[in-house]
Amino acid sequence: MQVAIDGPAGSGKSSVCKIIASKYGLTYIDTGAMYRSVAYVGETFGYDNLEDKVSNIDFILEDNGKKISIKYEGQVYDLTTKIRTPEISSKVASVASIPAIRKILVEKQQSYAKGSDVIMEGRDITTVVLPNADIKIYLTASPEERAKRRYKEWENKGNPPKFEDVLQDIIKRDEMDTNRAESPLKQSEDAIFIDTTGYTLEEVADKIGVIINEKRDN
Ligand code: DC
C-alpha cells in the first residue's frame, strides 16, 4: 500500500505519519528531511555546483523516519538534529525551488517507494512523486495553529525563537512553497482534504486510519 501526504509546514504531517507507519507497518519517508539535508550540504560545503554535490549524496534513512544521514565524499554525516535548526529552515525553501535538485530527489523518492508499503510526505507527493498512490491526503491547518505547534516543538527542545518569528517563517515558506514554478504545493484533485486545526494528533491519525481500513477492505 502507498499512502501519499502533502501539506504546508506544521500541518502535522510527520507526527501523524510516524503514528500511522508504526500502526500499519508502513515505511515512513520524510521527503522534507531530504530537502533540508541538501540545504545543509549547501550551507556546509558551499552552494557552488550544488546539483553535482547532490547527485553524489547517498541518503541513509533509518529507524523508520526518525534518523537521516548522508554519505558524502566517503564520509557519513548524521543530520537528524542538524537539519532542524532555524538557519536550515530559513534556507530550505530556496534550495527546494531548484528544478535540477528536485529532479534528483524525486527519482530517489520514487525508487524508495517502488514495490514497498510506504507512507511518504512532502509537498509534491500526491501530485508528482506518487500520483498513483492508493491513498492521497492533503493535510493543513491555519498558519497560527501551525506556528503554535512549531513553537511548542522548539520550546520542548529549550531556547525557542520568538513566536512572531516562527509565524513569519511559516508564512514566508507557505508563500515560497505554493508560488514556486516547479512542483508547487497544491491540493491534488483526488486528494482527501483534512483541516487539522483544533484536532489532536491522535484524532487526525484516527481519521487517516479509517481511510486506510476502508481501502484495505475494498
Ligand atoms: O516538511 P519540511 O518543513 O521539513 O520541508 C522542508 C522544505 O522542503 C519546505 O520548505 C518545502 C520543501 N519540500 C518540498 O519542496 N518538497 C517536498 N516533497 C518536501 C519538502
Side-chain angles (χ1 to χ4, degrees):
M1 161 152 323
Q2 295 192 331
V3 182
I5 303 193
D6 284 324
S11 54
K13 299 184 302 293
S14 54
S15 312
V16 165
C17 282
K18 282 178 193 149
I19 297 174
I20 299 283
S22 71
K23 197 165 169 189
Y24 291 91
L26 305 171
T27 299
Y28 166 45
I29 299 163
D30 172 0
T31 62
M34 296 173 71
Y35 287 95
R36 285 172 179 273
S37 300
V38 172
Y40 178 88
V41 168
E43 286 295 297
T44 311
F45 302 106
Y47 285 94
D48 55 307
N49 300 323
L50 189 59
E51 187 188 335
D52 289 343
K53 289 183 177 122
V54 175
S55 35
N56 287 314
I57 291 175
D58 286 325
F59 290 90
I60 307 160
L61 310 175
E62 290 170 305
D63 212 2
N64 216 8
K66 296 192 191 83
K67 185 173 174 198
I68 183 166
S69 308
I70 54 163
K71 190 169 179 194
Y72 178 64
E73 293 188 331
Q75 205 167 327
V76 175
Y77 301 85
D78 179 352
L79 301 187
T80 311
T81 54
K82 295 195 169 90
I83 55 172
R84 307 283 167 197
T85 64
E87 291 73 30
I88 295 295
S89 295
S90 69
K91 294 284 176 346
V92 62
S94 40
V95 165
S97 68
I98 304 170
I101 301 286
R102 299 201 70 82
K103 187 168 181 287
I104 298 168
L105 294 201
V106 166
E107 278 169 12
K108 287 183 192 286
Q109 291 152 9
Q110 288 172 333
S111 74
Y112 300 149
K114 207 166 186 186
S116 301
D117 289 325
V118 295
I119 182 163
M120 188 182 285
E121 53 102 342
R123 304 295 191 284
D124 59 344
I125 311 306
T126 59
T127 53
V128 176
V129 182
L130 300 177
N132 300 317
D134 302 288
I135 294 173
K136 298 192 196 183
I137 291 170
Y138 188 89
L139 271 194
T140 191
S142 68
E144 290 72 21
E145 168 109 2
R146 292 186 282 123
K148 272 188 213 155
R149 292 176 188 168
R150 277 284 144 99
Y151 183 80
K152 246 193 200 147
E153 285 169 19
W154 288 116
E155 230 178 12
N156 292 340
K157 288 181 197 163
N159 199 18
K162 282 197 225 113
F163 175 77
E164 192 49 35
D165 290 347
V166 179
L167 178 61
Q168 286 313 316
D169 177 63
I170 291 256
I171 291 170
K172 191 170 144 219
R173 276 208 291 147
D174 282 358
E175 165 85 13
M176 291 181 80
D177 292 344
T178 51
N179 292 318
R180 69 172 175 233
E182 182 79 11
S183 313
L185 170 66
K186 61 170 189 243
Q187 192 191 340
S188 150
E189 271 175 22
D190 53 354
I192 298 165
F193 180 87
I194 301 178
D195 185 344
T196 69
T197 310
Y199 289 98
T200 65
L201 276 181
E202 289 70 24
E203 286 169 330
V204 178
D206 284 348
K207 275 178 199 265
I208 297 176
V210 169
I211 298 167
I212 293 178
N213 289 335
E214 269 174 12
K215 189 83 192 176
R216 282 193 163 171
D217 293 345
N218 283 327

